[in-house]
Amino acid sequence: MLFNSFEFLVFLPVVFLLYWFVFKPVRWQNLFIVVASYVFYGWWNWRFLGLIALASTTAYVCGLLLGRYRGRRAVSKWICGVNVAVSLGILGTYKYYNFFATNFSAVLEAFGFRPDWVTLELVLPVGISFYTFQALAYAIDVYRGKIEPSRNVIDFFAFISFFPQLVAGPIERASNLLPQFLKKRVFDYPLAVDGLRQMLWGLFKKMVVADSCAMTVDYVFSNYETMGGINLIAGAVLFSFQIYGDFSGYSDIAIGTAKLFGIRLMQNFNFPYFSRSISEFWRRWHISLTAWFRDYVYIPLGGSRGGRWKTVRNTIIVFLVSGFWHGADWTFISWGAFNAMLFVPLLLAGTSRKYKGTTVADGSVLPSLKECGLMLVTFALVVLGRVLYRAETIPAAATIFRKMFTDFHLTWAPVEWMSFVYIAVMIVIEWFHRTSFHGFALAPSGVMRHRALRWLLYYCLAMCILFSAGRNETFIYFQF
């Protein structure tokens, strides 16, 4: 079920009313959340509900066993390993089997062998990379002694399958989300209103900004061989705003929806296009995934504890794995390598932590010329990386890069010019709320503090969303 669909428009109020007015005891609310979440996911394809149930059951049982055998390190390792094997087995089979089978077959053919290699006609389950990572993190945290194992199977299933963040995150930690399912929840009117505002902002970013860019982006990248360099630059820029509006929009809708049910999810995007360096960008973009790789890949590899070159090695590994997480294709691995290439010089220069905990133009209405320059350079580097992300193949990406830097002419392409207006509106509103949790928060210094202006923006954005409803584009990150 899509957030931008008529089905969800009916589903959400029904679930909301039943949740608060019928299933009042917390144990019944949690059971209802599980049922509603499985309906939400099964609306797309009910056959894949078994995968969520399998991942949830394995993590739950392993958590209980880890609690029982705490102190017996060898046994605990085996138990945790079972959960890792099941979670990665699910992910590997559906997402990566054909990639490895095809590439292994190509290697054998290079040596003169022609294997009758079998690829599988598998449909990639929506959100598989998100809920498997959530289940993985839970068992690892129990193994490390950071959290206690969940004893209630319904509460745990609600944690894994909570429908707002089930298919595209944020990837929540058990330490944050699971305790919220254990305590009684009382309807919080200000929180719910803030959730509705965040949902409205997310729908605007997705249905208006991202979807209006989609037509031009699809045409330019599908016809890259005949496009001029200026077209390709414009296409890459628009794609950068498309994927930001699409994914951060989804996160805003998910977080806002959770607030309607008294649940607080973590911030997943912190206005990344206002970053002054690549390292700051990655602290602000898809925060839940970045934190996941830091805690479960980077630190176990040694983090920054083994000297500078081991730190560089670990950083490169994390970026390559992150690229592979995004897609089973060499373009995504190359995208990860490209970002590692941008990040490592900052690491070697000792400036990778610069700007951490600070906000651009803090205490000022406008950025300085230096800050403008740094943001533009950072954005330009991000745009270049997006070419690898969006191109169908490595040769296609190479052709696009060549044209972007050598072929400075413009060819005809269909353009929805209002995209640039929508992008400008998004940038202005988010600029004035860059220190807030989301772009429509009631910040003391934000434009939303004025009641009349606030309601005018509500009306204008709602009209834009209504007129854009016919596009009904799917979310880009559903493929991951």
Side-chain angles (χ1 to χ4, degrees):
M1 192 180 298
L2 299 175
F3 283 158
N4 55 334
S5 66
F6 176 77
E7 291 85 356
F8 186 73
L9 186 64
V10 175
F11 172 83
L12 181 60
V14 171
V15 172
F16 176 83
L17 292 172
L18 291 175
Y19 178 86
W20 287 115
F21 295 103
V22 177
F23 300 97
K24 290 185 178 181
V26 66
R27 64 181 183 276
W28 289 109
Q29 284 183 333
N30 291 345
L31 177 60
F32 179 63
I33 282 293
V34 174
V35 173
S37 298
Y38 274 61
V39 170
F40 175 85
Y41 191 86
W43 200 269
W44 169 70
N45 192 327
W46 63 269
R47 294 174 181 85
F48 292 115
L49 289 174
L51 293 178
I52 302 177
L54 176 61
S56 302
T57 302
T58 304
Y60 172 74
V61 172
C62 286
L64 291 178
L65 293 174
L66 286 168
R68 177 179 296 181
Y69 292 103
R70 182 167 292 167
R72 298 176 63 177
R73 191 166 182 81
V75 177
S76 295
K77 280 186 176 181
W78 275 102
I79 296 170
C80 189
V82 168
N83 183 67
V84 171
V86 171
S87 296
L88 292 184
I90 294 172
L91 187 61
T93 299
Y94 282 91
K95 190 169 182 177
Y96 300 110
Y97 173 82
N98 285 340
F99 173 82
F100 285 113
T102 302
N103 282 276
F104 185 64
S105 178
V107 171
L108 291 178
E109 287 181 9
F111 287 95
F113 298 97
R114 294 190 177 276
D116 185 15
W117 201 259
V118 178
T119 56
L120 301 177
E121 295 295 328
L122 295 174
V123 176
L124 182 65
V126 170
I128 189 171
S129 297
F130 291 91
Y131 64 76
T132 52
F133 267 33
Q134 199 154 302
L136 265 173
Y138 165 78
I140 294 172
D141 284 349
V142 173
Y143 169 75
R144 291 175 175 176
K146 290 186 175 182
I147 59 173
E148 291 296 317
S150 175
R151 305 291 178 184
N152 189 301
V153 66
I154 299 300
D155 297 346
F156 184 78
F157 269 57
F159 154 67
I160 295 291
S161 65
F162 187 43
F163 75 87
Q165 49 91 221
L166 173 60
V167 295
I171 304 171
E172 277 291 347
R173 304 297 178 85
S175 57
N176 174 52
L177 184 53
L178 191 51
Q180 297 186 64
F181 285 112
L182 303 180
K183 61 183 181 181
K184 182 180 179 181
R185 296 179 288 280
V186 179
F187 182 70
D188 186 332
Y189 178 78
L191 181 67
V193 172
D194 184 61
L196 289 172
R197 275 196 297 269
Q198 192 166 0
M199 290 176 67
L200 179 66
W201 185 236
L203 286 167
F204 174 78
K205 287 197 288 185
K206 162 58 185 169
M207 297 179 66
V208 180
V209 176
D211 289 356
S212 69
C213 293
M215 178 188 69
T216 304
V217 171
D218 290 345
Y219 185 87
V220 168
F221 278 89
S222 296
N223 300 276
Y224 68 93
E225 292 177 319
T226 60
M227 290 289 105
I230 295 176
N231 298 81
L232 294 170
I233 292 171
V237 170
L238 285 175
F239 177 64
S240 297
F241 283 111
Q242 179 194 0
I243 196 169
Y244 173 66
D246 189 283
F247 193 23
S248 71
Y250 181 95
S251 293
D252 280 332
I253 301 168
I255 296 167
T257 301
K259 289 177 180 178
L260 297 179
F261 299 92
I263 300 293
R264 296 177 183 268
L265 300 179
M266 69 178 293
Q267 186 181 30
N268 209 23
F269 288 84
N270 187 14
F271 312 107
Y273 286 160
F274 300 144
S275 300
R276 293 153 289 182
S277 69
I278 286 295
S279 56
E280 185 183 15
F281 173 83
W282 283 110
R283 284 194 294 270
R284 293 174 174 269
W285 178 277
H286 202 174
I287 298 168
S288 63
L289 181 67
T290 302
W292 198 99
F293 279 120
R294 178 197 65 208
D295 293 344
Y296 302 107
V297 179
Y298 179 74
I299 291 176
L301 285 171
S304 56
R305 298 189 303 272
R308 177 170 294 184
W309 293 111
K310 284 189 177 180
T311 302
V312 169
R313 179 204 65 184
N314 297 340
T315 300
I316 293 172
I317 290 173
V318 166
F319 274 108
L320 291 176
V321 173
S322 175
F324 199 40
W325 178 89
H326 280 82
D329 198 290
W330 288 107
T331 53
F332 290 106
I333 297 173
S334 299
W335 172 73
F338 175 81
N339 281 284
M341 182 180 69
L342 298 178
F343 194 95
V344 165
L346 300 178
L347 201 61
L348 294 174
T351 59
S352 61
R353 295 181 180 273
K354 192 176 182 181
Y355 308 122
K356 188 175 183 179
T358 66
T359 304
V360 64
D362 193 15
S364 178
V365 175
L366 298 174
S368 65
L369 288 176
K370 179 181 178 181
E371 287 174 323
C372 283
L374 291 171
M375 285 191 293
L376 286 173
V377 169
T378 302
F379 180 71
L381 294 173
V382 170
V383 169
L384 288 175
R386 294 298 181 205
V387 172
L388 289 165
Y389 195 100
R390 182 61 175 76
E392 294 294 328
T393 63
I394 296 294
T399 299
I400 293 170
F401 281 132
R402 177 181 58 79
K403 286 193 166 191
M404 288 172 70
F405 289 101
T406 62
D407 184 8
F408 300 108
H409 80 275
L410 185 66
T411 55
W412 181 89
V415 177
E416 188 167 342
W417 295 104
M418 282 301 294
S419 301
F420 299 99
V421 176
Y422 300 142
I423 289 169
V425 170
M426 180 182 70
I427 291 173
V428 169
I429 291 177
E430 293 208 333
W431 174 260
F432 285 103
H433 291 85
R434 65 191 182 279
T435 59
S436 306
F437 188 79
H438 61 87
F440 248 27
L442 294 184
S445 60
V447 295
M448 296 293 290
R449 69 186 185 278
H450 303 294
R451 184 180 179 86
L453 180 57
R454 188 163 69 242
W455 280 96
L456 177 62
L457 282 172
Y458 292 161
Y459 176 78
C460 292
L461 266 61
M463 289 299 101
C464 290
I465 292 168
L466 183 63
F467 289 128
S468 301
R471 296 191 185 99
N472 203 29
E473 297 277 347
T474 190
F475 289 87
I476 295 174
Y477 262 70
F478 277 16
Q479 65 185 291
F480 306 136

